[in-house]
Amino acid sequence: MNEQSTSKPVLGLLLGFEDSMADFVELAREGEAAGMGSMYTVEAGRSAFVSAAAVIAATERVTVGTYIANAYAREPWLTGIAARDLDELSGGRFTLGIGTGNPHFNDWYIGADSSRPLAKMREYIEIVRSVVAGRAGEPVRYDGDHHRIRWRATWEPTRPSIPVYLSASGPKMVRLAGEVSDGVGVGVMASVGFMSDIVRPAARSAAAEAGRDPNSLGFLMGSFLSVNADEELARKVTQATICGLFHPVPHPYYDSQLRQLGFDEFADAAARLVPQGQMRHAMELVPDEVVDTMSITGTPAQCAARIADYTGLSDEIILYRLPQRNDPPGLAGYESLFEVVSLASA
């Protein structure tokens, strides 16, 4: 996206936390009908790729992507050919988001040490981008310290390449995204200041130093969306969700984002209190500025206005709806989100 762009962000939906695959497939259909531009599946309790295939089958227009696929869970060749398959299934609507995942979960779930990811991710992204763009019969060769490949595609890709985004929040990973990927995918607590003053300058500078066009980079971000006709109820849900990022241990990326923006005192308190079960006390300590700047929280009109603040800073905002106590049950609870999308798109 050009530095001077005034385009409104595309609004997407983060899927994969619903009770059943049938539910999130139906939600994807409803989101597309409501005018949303993209659907992204998360690699948490479900496989991002299997979920993406289900969403692709249920939709016709929207971009479908992974936000994010865990690079430590599969080799770059397998990630690349899965992306090729999904792009073919979707008729060229697929976007691949890749990241390191939570190092704690990597250790607990798959026994992988992901504590020193930079060199690995450089090689991983470079191989994946070669695989997704590989022409039939064209050799793909790479011999790195962490990964190597000798491969030829047996058929042409659906399009010349597939957008490959690197998930990043720390300064070194953001710069790496600018050097080797198609853009930066930022987590669910990205303030306007974080995007404008930290992420975009770092990624664009790294791209220029690598001899790439900074204007070719895309910027995606996730965001908590807590929408309620009662603003105070919406704020309490956001406070609880942010504190939940510190259970059972602090999530390193969101802890880092808080600290980069100067909220060290709260991060220290949450890291101490939440693992001890003192959630209510931790919620009382969430600064108003964190809720106001690092989430999209409030009434539908307030949320739409917050989205507008990211014009020119983010190409897409992928909304993660936070359920409210007074929401109707099931998928009907998403009507308030669709109202925000309608207001923001007007």
Side-chain angles (χ1 to χ4, degrees):
M1 184 174 71
N2 187 283
E3 184 71 27
Q4 304 301 316
S5 173
T6 57
S7 299
K8 292 182 179 180
V10 171
L11 297 181
L13 186 58
L14 193 64
L15 300 165
F17 297 99
E18 294 71 32
D19 290 338
S20 70
M21 191 168 287
D23 279 351
F24 79 71
V25 165
E26 180 58 30
L27 180 57
R29 291 193 186 100
E30 292 188 11
E32 183 175 60
M36 303 198 78
S38 57
M39 303 284 156
Y40 286 84
T41 59
V42 62
E43 194 137 71
R46 302 182 185 276
S47 159
F49 288 108
V50 174
S51 301
V55 173
I56 285 167
T59 57
E60 298 178 354
R61 172 186 56 81
V62 294
T63 296
V64 179
T66 56
Y67 208 78
I68 59 168
N70 190 332
Y72 283 88
R74 57 184 68 80
E75 289 298 305
W77 170 77
L78 185 58
T79 296
I81 61 170
R84 288 172 67 109
D85 287 345
L86 290 168
D87 203 48
E88 182 178 351
L89 280 174
S90 67
R93 293 188 285 131
F94 184 69
T95 292
L96 178 63
I98 305 172
T100 59
N102 184 326
H104 304 300
F105 296 164
N106 287 347
D107 179 28
W108 300 339
Y109 298 171
I110 57 179
D113 179 4
S114 54
S115 59
R116 303 184 65 173
L118 280 170
K120 173 195 171 69
M121 293 308 297
R122 178 184 296 276
E123 295 181 8
Y124 198 101
I125 294 291
E126 289 175 345
I127 291 173
V128 167
R129 293 186 76 206
S130 295
V131 169
V132 299
R135 303 289 304 275
E138 177 181 83
V140 174
R141 302 285 186 266
Y142 195 100
D143 189 7
D145 294 330
H146 298 266
H147 297 285
R148 65 180 186 272
I149 185 172
R150 294 176 58 85
W151 175 76
R152 295 174 188 263
T154 53
W155 64 90
E156 294 292 331
T158 299
R159 45 184 170 152
S161 190
I162 297 169
V164 178
Y165 286 80
L166 176 59
S167 177
S169 59
K172 292 181 180 179
M173 195 65 76
V174 168
R175 287 188 60 83
L176 180 61
E179 290 180 41
V180 301
S181 74
D182 293 307
V184 188
V186 186
V188 290
M189 291 213 302
S191 69
V192 167
F194 190 64
M195 295 300 292
S196 64
D197 302 336
I198 297 175
V199 172
R200 287 180 63 88
R204 289 174 59 86
S205 172
E209 291 172 15
R212 307 179 68 201
D213 179 7
N215 290 329
S216 69
L217 292 178
F219 292 87
L220 277 62
M221 56 170 276
S223 182
F224 290 136
L225 174 71
S226 183
V227 56
N228 199 310
D230 186 325
E231 180 187 354
E232 286 307 309
L233 289 180
R235 296 181 71 85
K236 288 185 182 299
V237 171
T238 298
Q239 291 165 356
T241 302
I242 290 172
C243 289
L245 296 172
F246 289 82
H247 176 78
V249 293
H251 193 301
Y253 305 133
Y254 304 119
D255 181 82
S256 169
Q257 283 179 233
L258 284 163
R259 295 179 189 279
Q260 288 183 69
L261 292 170
F263 298 110
D264 302 72
E265 184 177 351
F266 165 67
D268 288 340
R272 182 181 72 256
L273 294 170
V274 175
Q276 296 175 356
Q278 299 185 51
M279 176 67 78
R280 186 177 298 276
H281 187 187
M283 286 175 58
E284 293 170 351
L285 299 178
V286 178
D288 287 340
E289 189 179 355
V290 168
V291 175
D292 293 335
T293 65
M294 300 181 73
S295 71
I296 297 173
T297 295
T299 65
Q302 289 171 331
C303 289
R306 283 280 294 120
I307 288 170
D309 292 341
Y310 290 94
T311 297
L313 299 176
S314 179
D315 297 295
E316 292 187 47
I317 299 178
I318 305 165
L319 301 171
Y320 176 26
R321 169 187 168 265
L322 304 184
Q324 310 289 304
R325 287 184 182 179
N326 55 351
D327 277 344
L331 298 185
Y334 283 83
E335 286 304 316
S336 58
L337 180 148
F338 297 148
E339 181 182 358
V340 171
V341 170
S342 177
L343 290 171
S345 302

